Amino acid sequence: MDATTAPHLIPPEMPQYGEEKHVFELMQTMLEQLLIYQPEDPISFLIKHLQRDNDNVPKIVILGPPASGKTTIAMWLCKHLNSNLLTRDNLTERKSSSVATEARKHYQKFKGWILDGIPETREQALVIQTLGIAPRHVIVLNAPDTVLIERNLGKRIDPQTREIYHTTFDWPPEPEVQDRLIEPEGISEQETAQKLLVYHRNIIKLLPSYPRVLKTINADQPCVDVFYQALTFVQSGHRSNAPFTPRVLLLGPMGSGKSLQAGLLAQKYGLVNVCCGQLLKETVADKSKVGELIWSFLEKKVTVPDSVILKMLTERLDQQDCVQRGWVLHGFPRDVDQAQRLDGLGYVPNRVFFLNVPLDSIMERLTLRRIDPVTGERYHLMYKPPPTMEIQARLSQHPRDAEERVKFKVDLYYRNSTELEHFYRWAIAINGDQDPYTVFEYIESGIINPLPRKVL
């Protein structure tokens, strides 16, 4: 591409392909691996790297104080993700170099690794990182010291099977097993308190070594709940530095706040606000060929065909401001056939949000709206009542806000919404029946953060 001809007119297919295939992250990872391993034959090394499913290879560190359950969570994650568990006990040495060597070995075997309680200090973390081992996810389990001491005091071990039990939470039902259980060393209240003191002293210095990949989980809850929170975290992606052009689709029944949220997104992020209904009016006003065609249907009070609407949308989404800045579309598609046709033309949204609002809230929002025919001022009988009885007497209701019309439109949307939700399986559902700025925060979070991708 000739740099002297800027600004470049980049075909919309290029950024879409790059985002869909994660080309930026792929190039970044390949360069990272070359710098870490410094292979003698870089081409063969990169070919093997590309053959491996790198996104699905876990690289996880689990940290936590004594009795926080980190070993149990690590073992469950290993079983669920088919990866290897590396602990202080199953490494030949406790040196950072041996940890890095083992982690690299398992990563190259396509299985990945989970470090249980390693590193223990900031110095260990820096040495491991220097040797090229950087986790994608770091989980820190936290619980009050009193809870941890109580947990540790109840630990018992089976000398024959080496299974660990607990006098309160996991007592074996077999009497013969109960009789042979012994109390492991180092679990007294004083010894546990000393270990906790060392842990707290080290963890404060250790955590800054893992910015942007760290999650703290409360370990003072059932182990299954802790596990699922950890699993959800390791299945999520991190924010990428890759160039990103938002193509946002807002779906929801009339009165769900799509127009308001689209306006907020356009204002904050500079996206092009593409409202299908408003675009129909503007196209008709322009008196273009498409506008005249649309007017012919509106004049006869006939539904505008999908092919005409798609032609209108194509012309708008192909304009350079939409390609460069991104867009937020609402009012279309209304059913799965329209969604399929939109995707087939290459206008694939990379963020889809369903704004779910119950019927009674929609009825309250819409059927109580009124307009002053004299001043054009809009009112709401509950949230923005008219200031005087004189104004209230002359208020009128738009026919589209009539109760029967609203019920029909909402029922029509929810009849089609199931198929739309199935078509956009990766979409984010949001409760639209709350403060609009709270809804906007949820939408904003869904745009700036990557969609969850399974590690499996």
Side-chain angles (χ1 to χ4, degrees):
M1 192 176 289
D2 185 1
T4 63
T5 61
H8 304 301
L9 301 180
I10 302 174
E13 294 82 9
M14 287 181 63
Q16 284 184 213
Y17 181 85
E19 292 167 15
E20 180 184 350
K21 303 300 182 182
H22 307 285
V23 172
F24 183 91
E25 293 89 341
L26 177 63
M27 299 299 295
Q28 191 178 43
T29 304
M30 289 171 64
L31 179 60
E32 176 187 280
Q33 296 301 305
L34 284 175
L35 293 174
I36 290 173
Y37 295 106
Q38 300 180 11
E40 295 182 2
D41 186 357
I43 302 300
S44 299
F45 175 84
L46 290 178
I47 291 174
K48 291 180 180 179
H49 174 81
L50 291 171
Q51 290 173 340
R52 180 170 57 220
D53 190 1
N54 294 283
D55 290 335
N56 293 341
V57 178
K59 297 196 293 183
I60 304 167
V61 168
I62 300 183
L63 304 173
S68 60
K70 56 183 180 294
T71 300
T72 301
I73 300 301
M75 291 173 63
W76 288 3
L77 284 174
C78 281
K79 184 176 180 180
H80 197 86
L81 303 177
N82 190 28
S83 55
N84 294 280
L85 178 63
L86 303 180
T87 67
R88 295 178 303 173
D89 298 331
N90 63 15
L91 290 171
T92 55
E93 301 177 19
R94 289 181 60 182
K95 294 181 180 178
S96 302
S97 58
S98 68
V99 175
T101 301
E102 289 294 317
R104 185 181 291 111
K105 183 198 308 180
H106 293 300
Y107 182 74
Q108 290 177 320
K109 288 180 179 178
F110 298 68
K111 296 191 71 174
W113 45 263
I114 297 177
L115 298 183
D116 171 20
I118 306 171
E120 297 175 311
T121 64
R122 177 174 173 79
E123 290 71 22
Q124 286 183 3
L126 294 177
V127 171
I128 291 173
Q129 289 178 358
T130 303
L131 295 171
I133 302 303
R136 286 199 183 102
H137 300 89
V138 177
I139 299 170
V140 180
L141 303 180
N142 275 342
D145 285 359
T146 53
V147 172
L148 298 171
I149 291 173
E150 182 180 350
R151 283 187 184 178
N152 230 19
L153 289 173
K155 276 186 181 178
R156 296 295 182 269
I157 190 167
D158 186 339
Q160 291 185 11
T161 63
R162 310 307 296 174
E163 287 284 332
I164 297 176
Y165 296 93
H166 195 278
T167 56
T168 303
F169 307 113
D170 186 22
W171 192 245
E174 302 86 357
E176 61 274 15
V177 177
Q178 296 176 11
D179 292 339
R180 67 172 182 255
L181 293 183
I182 60 174
E183 184 177 301
E185 297 180 358
I187 66 167
S188 68
E189 183 173 347
Q190 185 176 359
E191 290 171 303
T192 304
Q194 182 61 35
K195 291 178 182 177
L196 288 170
L197 183 63
V198 174
Y199 169 80
H200 291 310
R201 187 185 300 133
N202 289 328
I203 197 68
I204 295 175
K205 300 177 182 178
L206 178 58
L207 296 186
S209 303
Y210 300 110
R212 297 185 298 276
V213 297
L214 184 70
K215 180 176 180 62
T216 300
I217 298 177
N218 176 23
D220 188 15
Q221 54 183 322
C223 201
V224 174
D225 294 341
V226 177
F227 167 70
Y228 280 111
Q229 290 181 46
L231 182 63
T232 300
F233 174 59
V234 301
Q235 287 179 336
S236 66
H238 300 298
R239 289 182 63 177
S240 170
N241 294 322
F244 174 63
T245 304
R247 298 185 301 278
V248 183
L249 176 60
L250 298 180
L251 296 170
M254 65 181 302
S256 58
K258 300 186 297 293
S259 298
L260 173 59
Q261 298 303 325
L264 293 173
L265 286 172
Q267 180 181 10
K268 183 165 184 178
Y269 293 101
L271 306 182
V272 179
N273 187 349
V274 183
C275 173
C276 189
Q278 183 63 30
L279 191 57
L280 280 169
K281 296 177 184 177
E282 293 174 358
T283 307
V284 170
D286 289 342
K287 297 183 178 180
S288 62
K289 290 184 179 180
V290 178
E292 291 176 357
L293 184 59
I294 293 173
W295 174 246
S296 67
F297 292 104
L298 295 178
E299 193 176 24
K300 299 174 186 176
K301 296 184 179 180
V302 177
T303 303
V304 181
D306 291 348
S307 57
V308 179
I309 294 178
L310 286 166
K311 184 174 178 60
M312 174 191 69
L313 283 175
T314 298
E315 291 182 358
R316 183 66 190 94
L317 297 177
D318 278 344
Q319 292 181 21
Q320 201 60 27
D321 58 346
C322 286
V323 175
Q324 289 181 336
R325 291 158 44 194
W327 43 263
V328 50
L329 173 64
H330 52 109
F332 190 92
R334 298 179 183 273
D335 55 49
V336 72
D337 291 333
Q338 293 179 347
Q340 289 172 343
R341 295 183 69 175
L342 187 67
D343 272 27
L345 291 172
Y347 305 101
V348 182
N350 49 25
R351 292 294 186 276
V352 178
F353 299 92
F354 283 89
L355 303 182
N356 297 322
V357 182
L359 177 60
D360 55 349
S361 296
I362 293 175
M363 298 296 291
E364 184 181 281
R365 289 182 183 184
L366 300 185
T367 60
L368 300 181
R369 294 194 302 194
R370 298 292 186 271
I371 188 169
D372 186 341
V374 176
T375 63
E377 183 73 21
R378 296 177 182 273
Y379 295 97
H380 192 280
L381 298 183
M382 180 176 294
Y383 303 121
K384 187 186 174 183
T388 66
M389 294 297 295
E390 180 185 356
I391 295 176
Q392 183 170 348
R394 66 176 185 242
L395 294 183
S396 62
Q397 184 185 48
H398 196 286
R400 71 183 175 211
D401 291 339
E403 185 173 335
E404 293 178 1
R405 181 76 179 272
V406 172
K407 283 183 178 179
F408 173 77
K409 289 284 188 179
V410 173
D411 180 63
L412 183 63
Y413 166 79
Y414 280 115
R415 258 186 279 162
N416 294 319
S417 64
T418 303
E419 289 184 334
L420 280 171
E421 288 171 3
H422 181 72
F423 184 77
Y424 295 115
R425 288 186 296 272
W426 41 270
I428 300 173
I430 296 176
N431 175 19
D433 191 19
Q434 50 186 331
D435 178 78
Y437 292 99
T438 302
V439 175
F440 177 70
E441 288 178 3
Y442 280 111
I443 294 176
E444 186 179 29
S445 174
I447 291 176
I448 63 177
N449 291 317
L451 295 174
R453 285 192 296 159
K454 287 197 172 184
V455 179
L456 305 184

